[in-house]
Amino acid sequence: QVQLAESGGGLVQAGGSLRLSCAASGRTFSNYGVGWFSQAPGKEREFVAAISWTGGNTYYADSVKGRFTISRDNAKNTVYLQMNSLKPEDTAVYYCAARMFQVVRTTMYDYWGQGTQVTVSS
């Protein structure tokens, strides 16, 4: 089992920045690829970014390329999502998810956190 806990969400003005953290506990976290997803009210959960278990490969949705950066610190069992140049349309609950030795752009992950709210005001 892997337990995931997101933090770092909040209210920010358009153009501002936030850094989300996904802290893991349980099994060897360095064996897991991690994805970030967003879910706005009334919408399906959408892929935002992912990072391989080694940290050597990263993937982004087109809507966040150049604005968001995903990274990980396996010594701290934590994955980060640095969010810059935030837009009102980025407003959503953000979830991190883990899957052993893989990353995918779908929601086919084995473990999920509870989510953290990000609200971007115009």
Side-chain angles (χ1 to χ4, degrees):
Q1 288 284 343
V2 173
Q3 292 80 42
L4 303 174
E6 302 94 339
S7 62
L11 173 63
V12 64
Q13 288 187 332
S17 298
L18 285 173
R19 188 176 80 157
L20 306 185
S21 298
C22 173
S25 59
R27 292 178 178 260
T28 305
F29 187 57
S30 59
N31 290 341
Y32 287 81
V34 173
W36 282 98
F37 291 78
S38 66
Q39 188 166 21
K43 294 188 176 181
E44 293 189 351
R45 201 165 291 188
E46 296 182 340
F47 171 77
V48 175
I51 188 165
S52 62
W53 58 100
T54 63
N57 292 292
T58 57
Y59 310 87
Y60 297 94
D62 288 343
S63 59
V64 306
K65 279 182 182 176
R67 299 190 299 123
F68 291 9
T69 303
I70 189 170
S71 62
R72 69 188 298 159
D73 185 341
N74 284 340
K76 295 182 177 180
N77 285 352
T78 303
V79 170
Y80 304 98
L81 185 68
Q82 179 67 45
M83 310 166 68
N84 298 330
S85 302
L86 283 161
K87 304 175 181 180
E89 52 263 43
D90 295 320
T91 295
V93 177
Y94 284 73
Y95 299 89
C96 65
R99 177 172 171 142
M100 184 174 278
F101 293 132
Q102 285 186 317
V103 289
V104 294
R105 292 174 179 260
T106 70
T107 57
M108 297 298 290
Y109 282 77
D110 299 315
Y111 304 101
W112 290 84
Q114 293 300 306
T116 184
Q117 175 71 46
V118 171
T119 303
V120 184
S121 63
S122 58

